[in-house]
Amino acid sequence: RPSLHTVTFVRSCRHQLFLLDKPRLTMSQAPPPGAMPPTGHAGGQNVTYYVYQMQAPADKKIEVDWSTCFTQVFLRTLLNFLNIAAWVLMLAGIAQCQNECNSGTTPLPFPDFFNTLANTGQNTFTASDCVKYFGLTWWSVWLQFITVVIATAFTVQFFARYKELKSIFTTTMYFFIMSTVLLFFIAEKFSNATYITVNKPGYASGWESGTTLLTVGTIVSATLNFI
């Protein structure tokens, strides 16, 4: 059978940790050199049993390039930190826009706002109308938050419980994909609103700051999600 000498694997950190999780079979006690099997009785059959046991991953003598692992974890941590910072900008931006809308601050920098209203006139709106209009934006902000939390938990437990967390890696990627698609729509809407508040007179400063924060936050978050 193949030798079980020390082997150095030049692979990614994920593959190395995957190998460490794999136990192997080894003989608990090899027969001494020159040993002969016991002599059976006449007409019988000699049966020699060799007991095998499972060895812990540490006994496999696999050398892991820990510098690669720590580099990957550091990059994951940095990206998660930046993503959290971008999410804070998104939250501040949508909160400011929601507050301006609830206060009835006009004019509104959203040309399609009144198209979403029901049973109201073209020049009047209520706080419930604002909640309805910004509903998708709020959902996108909190979905991004959930995605970042899951990614952060995956990074924190990358070494401690890697084997158990391998199954949620794909799920985390699905969350990133869904969140990024929504962020594209939000970035397009609020970048247009930012352009209106900056280049046209008569808009309150609260609208400008809110739309700007949300635009910057969504663009940064979408970029980091891709990375």
Side-chain angles (χ1 to χ4, degrees):
R1 59 190 178 90
S3 173
L4 296 177
H5 294 300
T6 300
V7 179
T8 301
F9 290 88
V10 184
R11 295 190 177 188
S12 67
C13 179
R14 188 184 309 161
H15 288 164
Q16 294 177 55
L17 293 179
F18 177 78
L19 289 171
L20 289 178
D21 282 336
K22 295 296 182 182
R24 64 176 172 82
L25 290 174
T26 183
M27 293 181 62
S28 60
Q29 184 177 2
M36 299 295 294
T39 303
H41 59 276
Q45 183 179 3
N46 294 336
V47 179
T48 303
Y49 294 94
Y50 295 105
V51 180
Y52 289 81
Q53 65 183 3
M54 302 294 291
Q55 286 192 355
D59 295 334
K60 295 166 61 175
K61 298 181 180 180
I62 297 178
E63 296 180 359
V64 178
D65 184 6
W66 294 111
S67 61
T68 303
C69 293
F70 283 119
T71 300
Q72 292 187 21
V73 172
F74 172 76
L75 293 177
R76 289 173 181 266
T77 304
L78 178 61
L79 290 175
N80 287 336
F81 175 79
L82 295 176
N83 229 334
I84 292 174
W87 178 82
V88 172
L89 295 179
M90 292 172 57
L91 182 63
I94 185 56
Q96 180 65 35
C97 290
Q98 186 75 63
N99 181 67
E100 292 293 329
C101 188
N102 292 347
S103 301
T105 305
T106 55
L108 301 174
F110 306 101
D112 63 334
F113 181 86
F114 290 104
N115 296 332
T116 64
L117 305 183
N119 301 324
T120 60
Q122 288 295 311
N123 297 317
T124 61
F125 59 92
T126 62
S128 61
D129 297 325
C130 298
V131 172
K132 178 181 178 182
Y133 183 79
F134 293 116
L136 180 61
T137 305
W138 278 108
W139 165 245
S140 303
V141 170
W142 287 110
L143 178 60
Q144 176 67 10
F145 174 75
I146 295 173
T147 303
V148 173
V149 168
I150 294 176
T152 302
F154 185 86
T155 301
V156 170
Q157 297 295 331
F158 191 71
F159 286 106
R161 299 177 57 195
Y162 177 79
K163 185 175 182 179
E164 291 80 2
L165 290 175
K166 287 185 296 183
S167 59
I168 73 168
F169 180 78
T170 303
T171 303
T172 304
M173 296 303 299
Y174 288 152
F175 270 92
F176 272 115
I177 293 172
M178 292 186 296
S179 181
T180 304
V181 171
L182 288 175
L183 291 178
F184 272 115
F185 289 104
I186 303 305
E188 190 272 337
K189 173 187 291 187
F190 284 89
S191 61
N192 290 337
T194 302
Y195 176 84
I196 293 174
T197 58
V198 171
N199 294 280
K200 295 184 179 181
Y203 289 91
S205 59
W207 281 123
E208 180 179 349
S209 59
T211 56
T212 301
L213 287 173
L214 191 51
T215 300
V216 173
T218 52
I219 292 176
V220 173
S221 294
T223 303
L224 293 174
N225 286 356
F226 269 114
I227 299 176

